[in-house]
Amino acid sequence: MVFRRWFKRFGIPEELSCDGGTNLTSQESRGFLDTWRVRLRVSSAHYPQSNGRAEAAVKCAKRLLRGNTGRNGSLDTDAAAWAIMQYLNTPPQGSEASPAQLITGRQLRDAIPVDTSLYEVSERWAWLLRERERAMARSGDSAASRHDQTAHNLEPLTPGLRTRILNPGSGRWDRAGTVLETTAPRQYLVRLDGSGRTTIRNRRHLRLLTCVQAHDDGTTAMPGATPPSQGRPQRHRQAPRHLLDYVLDNATPQATH
């Protein structure tokens, strides 16, 4: 409903006045207002004076839009926008502050030139803004301090390394791929096994894959990509599949941020 949008922006009113229209007095509307704890005051029938504020607002809106609408009754025009801004910048009778000043703490810059000092936020508003910024800074410092107590940098990855990839949906490391390049700090372009599709992942979502291989010289494991051979290349064969599954399922997770 439209009221819900207004309540979120300006807060919940204590009382809502209407002229008895069925759109506001229906059971559905009354139930909505009761949920939000808003009293509904209905003016007397055929007695517009009892709902004077609403009638005055309607009359003002009609004057505001009359002659400023575009073709086919469109309100998406420069003239209508200027008229609305001028209304927001005009203090109502008996008040020294305009609607714009009451809401934003300053005048809005519209099509009419005025003293630029009117565009400055009032001292009260400026103080509230500064206090809000200080509170946010204190909260951010506290959160950063708690994070730094346990966080540490992960070892960077280089192109060619084999990695396991975290599945955000299941929380399991059920995909594998090869690092192609570093696209940003702690961010890597990885080619997925099987589909060959590439994806960009943060370092905390990548875990170094340990490849287990049996060599003639007795070597059984080496992390990441195969290091360059030294001297005469040695023939090797892939370890049995069940051994790979055992190591991958029982590998100790590396620390993440």
Side-chain angles (χ1 to χ4, degrees), residues 5 11 13 24 29 50 52 86 91 100 126 134 168 197 200 207 249 253 256:
R5 294 199 297 268
L24 295 177
S29 296
S50 64
Q86 185 60 38
R134 293 192 184 101
R197 183 172 59 87
I200 296 178
R207 179 186 295 173
D249 293 338
T256 59

Side-chain angles (χ1 to χ4, degrees), residues 27-160:
Q27 183 178 357
E28 181 181 2
S29 296
R30 287 182 179 274
F32 172 82
L33 295 176
D34 289 341
T35 301
W36 286 83
R37 294 182 299 173
V38 178
R39 296 190 303 271
L40 180 64
R41 186 181 69 83
V42 181
S43 61
S44 303
H46 308 291
Y47 192 69
Q49 292 92 326
S50 64
N51 196 26
R53 287 177 295 179
E55 296 295 336
V58 171
K59 186 185 300 183
C60 182
K62 288 182 178 179
R63 286 200 305 266
L64 186 71
L65 300 178
R66 187 179 297 122
N68 293 319
T69 57
R71 296 180 179 179
N72 301 323
S74 173
L75 296 178
D76 189 16
T77 63
D78 291 344
W82 291 335
I84 293 174
M85 284 192 293
Q86 185 60 38
Y87 171 79
L88 294 176
N89 280 332
T90 303
Q93 185 176 1
S95 174
E96 296 181 357
S98 67
Q101 289 175 315
L102 294 174
I103 297 174
T104 65
R106 65 180 181 85
Q107 289 285 83
L108 302 178
R109 183 173 181 269
D110 57 12
I112 299 178
V114 297
D115 191 331
T116 56
S117 62
L118 295 177
Y119 300 145
E120 298 178 0
V121 179
S122 67
E123 293 184 2
R124 172 66 178 172
W125 270 80
W127 180 83
L128 291 174
L129 291 176
R130 287 194 299 269
E131 288 300 311
R132 182 174 181 271
E133 291 295 331
R134 293 192 184 101
M136 293 180 64
R138 290 192 296 267
S139 176
D141 292 341
S142 177
S145 177
R146 292 194 301 270
H147 175 270
D148 293 341
Q149 291 177 1
T150 57
H152 61 278
N153 291 329
L154 294 172
E155 180 183 357
L157 302 176
T158 57

